[in-house]
Amino acid sequence: MENGIKGIDTFKELYMSHFQAVVGFCHTYLKDREQSMDVTQETFFKLYERLDDAYSRRNAIAFLYITAKNLCMDVLRHEKFNTEDVDELKEKLYSDDFFLDEITNQEMIRFVQAAVAQLTGRSLEIARLALDGLGNQEIADTLGISINSVKSRKKEMYSKLREIIGKEYVILFFAKYLLKIEK
């Protein structure tokens, strides 16, 4: 990696904002959390080796996902599969649609997590409990508040989240859609 401050700052920011998204992306291929973490660490190491001040943020993100996909494929090639598994994997994993869908899914998860992190107080507590799969009554019981308070806070929370996420979601949706019709 070049010694440029911009390159180091870009790497730190990408690592903090995209590490979990890349782990999730790898997990869709590997179905193993530990392997996914290892591949993600190797992916970021490869980025660190190559990143310099000339890299744009967009190029670095593309590099992350393409490198992660290639490393996952290497892991899968080295594992033993029966013939049916190999044919199914080839069809699914080599598909550009699958690759784009997974990038979109992981980036949306990242956007939602970043948006939820911007919430405060009860709204943050309610959002985290809802993301853990708890229903309104379970959230009310857990927090010791009325179910109407939960519903009211959720309504406010969803409005705020739509404001925060809205633009990024639209951008991802159109990027994915436009990439598919260009083929």
Side-chain angles (χ1 to χ4, degrees):
M1 178 171 174
E2 296 287 322
N3 290 330
I5 297 299
K6 182 180 172 197
I8 292 170
D9 288 343
T10 300
F11 177 80
K12 287 178 185 176
E13 189 275 325
L14 286 170
Y15 185 86
M16 296 303 292
S17 65
H18 283 78
F19 187 84
Q20 288 303 321
V22 175
V23 169
F25 176 81
C26 292
H27 192 265
T28 61
Y29 285 91
L30 302 175
K31 308 293 185 226
D32 180 289
R33 186 85 174 147
E34 193 170 315
Q35 276 185 328
S36 299
M37 294 284 284
D38 291 345
V39 168
T40 301
Q41 288 173 348
E42 187 173 347
T43 298
F44 274 94
F45 181 73
K46 288 181 179 288
L47 175 65
Y48 183 82
E49 289 179 323
R50 289 169 180 78
L51 190 65
D52 64 31
D53 289 348
Y55 258 63
S56 73
R57 187 175 192 285
R58 185 171 43 183
N59 289 345
I61 292 170
F63 177 88
L64 283 173
Y65 283 110
I66 291 168
T67 301
K69 178 186 176 186
N70 291 337
L71 290 171
C72 287
M73 298 307 236
D74 289 345
V75 168
L76 292 171
R77 275 188 214 103
H78 288 94
E79 292 181 356
K80 295 181 181 179
F81 297 101
N82 66 40
T83 307
E84 288 177 17
D85 290 342
V86 171
D87 290 340
E88 183 182 327
L89 279 173
K90 280 183 185 177
E91 189 175 308
K92 181 179 178 184
L93 300 182
Y94 286 109
S95 158
D96 287 340
D97 288 342
F98 179 80
F99 180 63
L100 290 174
D101 286 345
E102 275 313 305
I103 291 172
T104 304
N105 291 341
Q106 295 307 318
E107 286 298 301
M108 280 307 301
I109 290 168
R110 190 178 68 78
F111 287 140
V112 169
Q113 289 172 338
V116 167
Q118 292 179 38
L119 298 173
T120 58
R122 282 283 195 216
S123 294
L124 178 60
E125 290 176 293
I126 290 169
R128 287 188 173 151
L129 292 171
L131 288 172
D132 286 341
L134 273 65
N136 288 345
Q137 187 61 57
E138 294 169 308
I139 293 171
D141 293 343
T142 301
L143 298 178
I145 59 177
S146 74
I147 192 164
N148 288 335
S149 293
V150 171
K151 290 177 182 178
S152 168
R153 293 282 182 142
K154 272 187 165 182
K155 186 176 178 181
E156 294 169 14
M157 177 186 67
Y158 290 143
S159 176
K160 183 169 182 162
L161 289 175
R162 272 194 291 276
E163 277 179 35
I164 296 168
I165 295 173
K167 293 176 188 170
E168 286 84 358
Y169 180 77
V170 171
I171 290 167
L172 281 173
F173 174 79
F174 281 111
K176 180 179 167 183
Y177 177 75
L178 291 174
L179 288 171
K180 281 187 177 184
I181 61 172
E182 286 180 5
K183 292 180 189 176

